[in-house]
Amino acid sequence: MKIVSMTTYQVPPRWSFLKIETDAGITGWGEPVLEGRASSVAATVEELSDYLIGKDPSHIEDLWTVLYRGGFYRGGGIHMSALAGIDQALWDIKGKALGVPVHELLGGRVRDRIKVYSWIGGDRPAETARAAREVVDRGFSAVKMNGTEELSYLDTWDKVDRCVANVDAVRQAVGPDIGIGVDFHGRVHKPMAKVLLRELEPFRLMFVEEPVLSEHVDGFAEVLRTSPIPIALGERLFSRWDFKAVLASGAVDIIQPDPSHCGGITEARKIAHMAEAYDVGLALHCPLGPIALAACLQIDAGCYNATIQEQSLGIHYNTSNDLLDYVTDPAVFAYEDGQVTIPRGPGLGIEINEEYVTERAAEGHRWRNPVWRHTDGSFAEW
């Protein structure tokens, strides 16, 4: 079997899909995208196709190694996201060729289903308590919310109080037994992160995500190690080498690599197994489309330390299209009792509606994240 063609599709709301075709008539799908840089990732996929066309798609480890190491310069969000989508599609092809789901090729399942959480609130949190109650009423047992708006290095107590009141309102709305993740989104610098972590202790949070940017963990490790709130981060780390120092620091309790950003299924599993050696849990990042979620679930199936899965159904970014629009059988992601069953079909376990993908790719997207500024006019982390 040989690879004969590779086609990318940029589809609303902010995703990019990759179709890899073979001379055996088997097609694999991946999701190579970096939010806000979709065209750059697609261009990198096209460059990497020079090596892939004509190759046997079953040699996944060797192809991954060459695509990562063979260009001399390596790593970073764009390169690893392109490699991620390719890797996902190669695993999809291999599973379909052998008639088994990807997780069977990776040692089989250690679980039949995994807990999922739902986003509530937008980038500027409002009415989060109502949104939390609604998703819990739909059967979710965990939610995640943005904790703050922009914060300066030293900011005012009214902003701290608003964050605390917002989290308190959600806790009051959902009760004591629903998991609440609070995402600082890298918006918070070290001085204010110390304050917020202390103030949020009473709310029995599931985790605080990206309390500071990953590049600042080394200077904040002692605070994170001693915080009673579990600390999660990793969506902006792109390889096992990026995660190495973070895991060794002991500052992180849950890692969140994104299999559409960190080199795909092949690399995400290696990162997950590294984390298990440090007794660190896995909560794969996935505010993306159905192919990315399917890839995550194949990884979750076989990783003992996988604890909860992000998914994008109803997320505030999904305006013109949503998670289930591009699959022929939406029931493959049916959520029940706050969990989703691992797909059992061959490959990634989903079937893409190619006709609809083509239709929506004609519109495409040019999604960009907002640019925020502080009151003094300086740039604020979004």
Side-chain angles (χ1 to χ4, degrees), residues 98-116:
L98 298 174
V100 296
V102 168
H103 63 257
E104 289 293 340
L105 302 174
L106 300 173
R109 299 190 309 276
V110 299
R111 61 177 50 80
D112 298 323
R113 62 195 66 84
I114 189 166
K115 188 174 182 178
V116 291

Side-chain angles (χ1 to χ4, degrees), residues 173-368:
V174 302
D177 300 324
I178 298 298
I180 301 174
V182 176
D183 190 357
F184 286 8
H185 218 247
R187 297 170 183 169
V188 185
H189 298 283
K190 181 167 69 171
M192 296 307 296
K194 293 168 66 174
V195 173
L196 283 169
L197 285 173
R198 184 188 68 235
E199 295 297 312
L200 292 173
E201 283 183 20
F203 299 104
R204 299 181 175 182
L205 299 180
M206 181 170 63
F207 57 72
V208 164
E209 180 173 335
E210 275 198 326
V212 293
L213 290 168
S214 300
E215 55 262 37
H216 300 317
V217 166
D218 57 344
F220 200 51
E222 187 59 33
V223 174
L224 299 179
R225 279 195 293 262
T226 57
S227 172
I229 303 173
I231 301 301
L233 60 80
E235 69 188 67
R236 287 188 263 195
L237 301 176
F238 304 115
S239 72
R240 74 198 93 148
W241 298 280
D242 290 346
F243 276 93
K244 183 166 63 171
V246 169
L247 289 169
S249 75
V252 176
D253 306 294
I254 307 290
I255 58 161
Q256 299 172 303
D258 189 316
S260 278
H261 300 334
C262 73
I265 294 170
T266 297
E267 185 72 353
R269 272 177 54 85
K270 293 175 181 178
I271 294 167
H273 293 325
M274 282 176 59
E276 186 182 352
Y278 288 91
D279 203 23
V280 169
L282 177 71
L284 293 170
H285 183 253
C286 189
L288 297 170
I291 305 170
L293 179 57
C296 286
L297 294 176
Q298 296 297 329
I299 298 166
D300 292 329
C303 289
Y304 173 74
N305 55 335
T307 181
I308 196 167
Q309 179 58 58
E310 182 175 23
Q311 54 81 46
S312 74
L313 186 64
I315 197 171
H316 49 291
Y317 302 119
N318 295 357
T319 52
S320 54
N321 280 100
D322 212 331
L323 176 70
L324 305 178
D325 294 349
Y326 294 102
V327 292
T328 59
D329 179 16
V332 73
F333 295 134
Y335 304 139
E336 185 176 355
D337 297 326
Q339 298 183 319
V340 64
T341 300
I342 306 298
R344 307 292 173 83
L348 295 179
I350 61 173
E351 184 177 341
I352 295 298
N353 185 339
E354 186 173 345
E355 182 178 346
Y356 188 65
V357 168
T358 303
E359 176 187 330
R360 298 302 289 142
E363 176 178 322
H365 68 84
R366 199 172 178 82
W367 187 87
R368 298 290 185 267

